[in-house]
């Protein structure tokens, strides 16, 4: 879980532009993501084979 928290922190701080989560990691990652205080700033885009690419948006989605 700490691994995912660090990934989100890097994304939020602009250290990385995006993170890619494989379908096998999705539910474990999502558990961390929805508890994050800036949850609505992260945007996930579904790709083929169950992969999801997450980016950080300065303006939270409504």
């Amino acid at each position: 879980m700490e691994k995912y928290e660090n990934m989100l922190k890097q994304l939020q701080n602009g250290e990385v532009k995006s993170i890619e989560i494989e379908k096998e990691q999705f539910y474990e990652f999502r558990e961390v993501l929805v508890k994050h205080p800036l949850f609505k700033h992260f945007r996930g885009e579904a790709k083929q084979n169950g992969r999801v690419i997450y980016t950080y948006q300065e303006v939270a989605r409504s």
Side-chain angles (χ1 to χ4, degrees), residues 16-33:
V16 295
K17 291 192 184 265
S18 65
I19 53 176
E20 183 174 326
I21 302 298
E22 299 293 333
K23 68 179 179 181
E24 296 82 15
Q25 304 168 306
F26 178 76
Y27 288 110
E28 191 173 303
F29 175 79
R30 190 173 189 288
E31 187 176 325
V32 173
L33 177 64

Side-chain angles (χ1 to χ4, degrees), residues 39-50:
F39 168 66
K40 291 192 173 192
H41 286 266
F42 295 97
R43 178 178 182 266
E45 183 179 341
K47 297 293 185 180
Q48 289 183 316
N49 300 320

Side-chain angles (χ1 to χ4, degrees), residues 1-2 4-6 8 11-12 15 17 19-21 24-25 27 30 35 39 43-44 52-55 57-58:
M1 299 282 197
E2 189 174 324
Y4 298 128
E5 290 170 4
N6 288 336
L8 289 171
L11 188 57
Q12 178 185 345
E15 296 172 35
K17 291 192 184 265
I19 53 176
E20 183 174 326
I21 302 298
E24 296 82 15
Q25 304 168 306
Y27 288 110
R30 190 173 189 288
K35 293 177 183 175
F39 168 66
R43 178 178 182 266
V52 181
I53 307 293
Y54 286 93
T55 55
Q57 309 294 309
E58 290 296 324

